[in-house]
């Protein structure tokens, strides 16, 4: 498809850039880290969201190439920040189901970190439950164990929208669950959504996990989340995804 061609082009011509969205302590306002979100810098159309190349994430080779580009960019940015005396906290990168097909995804990631002399604790890998269903599913358990032993944290993204989530929490070394935006958006007016958020927070907390609310857009939502015991959030209220150069404007852009 033309989308696949566009994605190949983006990879080949190095037009993949991360935008960083802060993860914030809802009580103190402190930034705890950032999620790197893929953006495609199109030569004439400008900055495009990942939906514009969504099909690429279904293609094993391309998806892995896109994640590789993201990891290269993120490790370079992180190295630059640390060298410049800036502590951006922990950086999360999204992995697709296809990333696990190669069987040595975790080793490849750790190698990239080592090459930039970055501690694995600086990185978080976000996966959705689709990784447990994709073609690389049989590699996922070992990969997550390799990450866990190295100190890379694992976040379960879009939590609550998949299936068999509870088994996954028990079976895999998950550190963080991210409550899907669809539950958070209506927490103020929908008692059902509020009950689901409350249950996820209780579940995560009692399992010793960090619980992050996605898509926090209003002060009212933030206040309710704190009331439900969820003290970490991400969303437009707290900060929009921004290019590296705009995160720490006092610092020269890392080369
Ligand atoms: O802003 P947003 O449009 O970035 O993201 C849309 C979707 O794309 C989200 O579900 C997000 O998790 C996913 N996504 C963003 N960046 C990446 C990436 O680098 N790799 C993968 N696999 N998914 C990403
Ligand atoms: O699936 P994932 O959680 O990685 O999706 C991240 C996506 O959500 C990105 O497209 C990002 O731009 C978007 N996003 C982040 N914060 C908000 C928000 O507060 N509201 C909405 N509608 N989208 C958000
Ligand atoms: Na994500
Ligand atoms: Mn999500």
């Amino acid at each position: 498809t033309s989308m696949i061609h566009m994605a190949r082009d983006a990879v080949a011509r190095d037009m993949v850039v991360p935008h960083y969205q802060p993860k914030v302590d809802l009580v103190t306002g402190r930034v705890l880290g950032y999620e790197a979100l893929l953006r495609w810098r199109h030569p004439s159309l400008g900055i495009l969201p990942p939906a514009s190349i969504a099909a690429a994430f279904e293609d094993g080779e391309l998806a892995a190439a896109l994640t590789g580009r993201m990891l290269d960019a993120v490790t370079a940015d992180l190295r630059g920040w640390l060298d410049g005396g800036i502590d951006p906290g922990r950086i999360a990168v999204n992995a697709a189901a296809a990333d696990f097909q190669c069987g040595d995804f975790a080793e490849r990631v750790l190698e990239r970190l080592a090459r930039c002399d970055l501690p694995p604790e600086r990185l978080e890998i976000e996966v959705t439950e689709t990784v447990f269903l994709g073609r690389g599913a049989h590699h996922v358990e070992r990969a997550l164990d390799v990450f866990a032993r190295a100190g890379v944290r694992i976040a379960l993204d879009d939590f609550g929208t998949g299936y068999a989530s509870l088994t996954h929490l028990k079976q895999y070394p998950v550190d963080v669950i991210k409550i899907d935006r669809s539950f958070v958006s209506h927490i103020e007016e929908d008692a059902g959504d509020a009950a689901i958020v409350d249950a996820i927070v209780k579940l995560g907390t009692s399992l010793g996990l960090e619980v992050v609310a996605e898509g926090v857009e209003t002060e009212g939502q933030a206040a309710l989340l704190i009331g439900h015991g969820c003290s970490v959030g991400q969303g437009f209220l707290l900060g929009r995804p921004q290019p590296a150069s705009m995160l720490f404007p006092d610092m020269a852009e890392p080369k």
Side-chain angles (χ1 to χ4, degrees), residues 18-21 23 34-38 57 63-64 66-76 78 90-96 99-100 105 109 112-113 122-128 147 152-157 178 234:
H19 279 200
Y20 295 91
Q21 185 177 38
K23 204 167 86 171
Y34 294 86
E35 176 180 359
L37 292 158
L38 186 147
F57 291 114
L66 285 170
T67 304
R69 288 288 183 179
M70 282 292 283
L71 283 163
D72 285 341
V74 166
T75 49
L78 188 47
R90 202 185 308 258
I91 308 292
V93 172
N94 290 279
D99 285 311
F100 293 89
F105 176 55
V109 172
R112 273 192 164 83
L113 291 171
R122 285 282 173 183
L123 185 70
E124 190 166 288
I125 295 287
E126 291 196 15
V127 298
T128 65
F147 278 133
V152 173
R153 288 212 311 188
I154 305 297
L156 210 46
D157 201 6
K178 300 188 76 177
Q234 222 181 306

Side-chain angles (χ1 to χ4, degrees), residues 150-172:
V152 173
R153 288 212 311 188
I154 305 297
L156 210 46
D157 201 6
D158 304 343
F159 189 82
T161 59
Y163 87 103
S165 332
L166 305 185
T167 311
H168 295 147
L169 288 183
K170 222 183 77 165
Q171 192 175 350
Y172 302 104

Side-chain angles (χ1 to χ4, degrees), residues 38-49:
L38 186 147
R39 294 294 180 267
W40 176 28
R41 196 165 20 195
H42 188 278
S44 52
L45 301 176
I47 297 287
L48 300 177

Side-chain angles (χ1 to χ4, degrees), residues 110-131:
L110 294 178
E111 212 175 272
R112 273 192 164 83
L113 291 171
R115 218 182 294 152
C116 294
D117 197 20
L118 291 168
E121 289 76 17
R122 285 282 173 183
L123 185 70
E124 190 166 288
I125 295 287
E126 291 196 15
V127 298
T128 65
E129 290 178 292
T130 59
V131 302

